[in-house]
Amino acid sequence: MMPQASTAAATRPSSAWTGWGQWLALVTMTLDHLARYVFPDAWGLGWVDSSLGRIAFPLFAAMVAWHGLFNTRNPLRYARRVLVIGLIAQLPYMLMPRAADGLILNICFTLSLGLTGAAWARALPERLERNVLGRRRLAIEAGAALAIWAIAGYIVEYGHLGLLMIPFYMLALARLHQGGDGLSERLAGTAMALPILVVAGLMNSSDMAKSFTVATTLAILLLAAGAHRLPAEVPLRMPRRLWLGWYPGHFAAIALWLWVSGGLS
């Protein structure tokens, strides 16, 4: 159930950290893609993909989950905006040297579908309480959601585990932000945080990659638990056009560089 406008403002956590998160996500993502697609193996930059590059996706997923949970009244409209960026980025994304992977949809599809699924799941308690969702319809919707997850997991970046990041993030962030000093509240918060940490740990093969992904995820959970009050506003806010255009734009720039240098021949 999404929070009502009257109570959301009073309980909404600070989102100042996302200003820093935007810069960190774009920088680490760009370094990852430069090391993977632009610089040859002889440069010895493969470590970037297994370290700094593993910060970007859990950070992007966390910011989408955070805004979908705390900062928007319409998560589905937010998901559609992310999907539009993905549609624009798909052509230059497909020009990257990833022929062995087959048809893969870029990360924006993963984020958009993940947020859509999370919004559906969070709306279920209210719909059940209002008796607008019968058992038969619930079974149909749940079956459809499971089928979409099963099929989409084979064609989106980060696969089935990636699609679970935002729903599990939102589950954990909501519980941790509610807080509570009692033992039951603390245990509940810990329990809700376990699924996202498990998914983060399973997403990569190397120990280094796992550690960076899990550490990023853990930092987000600490923000929800109260550390969101600590970061100050970022001195230089990222321009909106840069934030929306960088993902498709940097792929287009890499594709152009590879074409000029003969990497796409």
Side-chain angles (χ1 to χ4, degrees):
M1 178 177 177
M2 296 302 296
Q4 299 299 317
S6 59
T7 60
T11 60
R12 185 182 300 131
S14 169
S15 297
W17 73 269
T18 60
W20 300 92
Q22 287 180 324
W23 287 109
L24 180 60
L26 287 197
V27 169
T28 53
M29 176 190 69
T30 304
L31 290 174
D32 178 27
H33 293 164
L34 288 175
R36 190 183 308 179
Y37 302 125
V38 176
F39 298 109
D41 294 339
W43 285 54
L45 294 177
W47 61 271
V48 174
D49 180 41
S50 297
S51 55
L52 298 179
R54 299 309 94 206
I55 294 174
F57 177 67
L59 189 52
F60 276 119
M63 289 188 287
V64 171
W66 190 280
H67 289 307
L69 184 63
F70 299 122
N71 296 333
T72 180
R73 296 182 180 180
N74 193 336
L76 293 180
R77 185 170 59 187
Y78 182 23
R80 288 194 295 269
R81 293 201 300 267
V82 176
L83 181 60
V84 169
I85 298 174
L87 290 170
I88 296 172
Q90 185 60 24
L91 178 57
Y93 176 80
M94 291 174 65
L95 294 176
M96 298 299 100
R98 51 171 61 245
D101 297 337
L103 175 62
I104 297 293
L105 300 178
N106 64 68
I107 188 179
C108 291
F109 289 85
T110 311
L111 297 175
S112 179
L113 284 173
L115 180 56
T116 300
W120 171 78
R122 285 185 59 79
L124 280 180
E126 181 183 12
R127 295 172 67 196
L128 291 171
E129 184 178 347
R130 293 166 52 195
N131 294 319
V132 297
L133 185 65
R135 292 183 179 180
R136 182 177 179 181
R137 184 172 178 180
L138 174 61
I140 292 174
E141 290 188 11
L146 182 61
I148 292 172
W149 174 77
I151 296 171
Y154 290 107
I155 59 174
V156 299
E157 193 170 8
Y158 291 100
H160 294 94
L161 293 175
L163 290 171
L164 294 176
M165 286 291 283
I166 291 179
F168 285 175
Y169 255 135
M170 293 179 73
L171 181 69
L173 297 179
R175 180 70 250 185
L176 290 170
H177 178 59
Q178 291 174 5
D181 296 328
L183 178 61
S184 60
E185 289 87 352
R186 292 177 181 271
L187 290 176
T190 302
M192 293 301 100
L194 287 178
I196 184 63
L197 289 172
V198 170
V199 168
L202 292 174
M203 287 190 65
N204 301 286
S205 56
S206 73
D207 291 339
M208 179 182 291
K210 289 177 183 293
S211 64
F212 273 82
T213 301
V214 171
T216 302
T217 304
L218 183 58
I220 302 301
L221 297 178
L222 293 175
L223 287 167
H228 60 85
R229 305 182 186 92
L230 301 178
E233 292 288 343
V234 64
L236 178 61
R237 296 191 63 84
M238 181 172 294
R240 179 175 175 79
R241 291 183 180 180
L242 178 63
W243 176 243
L244 297 178
W246 186 265
Y247 187 71
H250 92 287
F251 275 130
I254 292 175
L256 179 61
W257 170 261
L258 292 175
W259 178 73
V260 170
S261 64
L264 292 180
S265 59

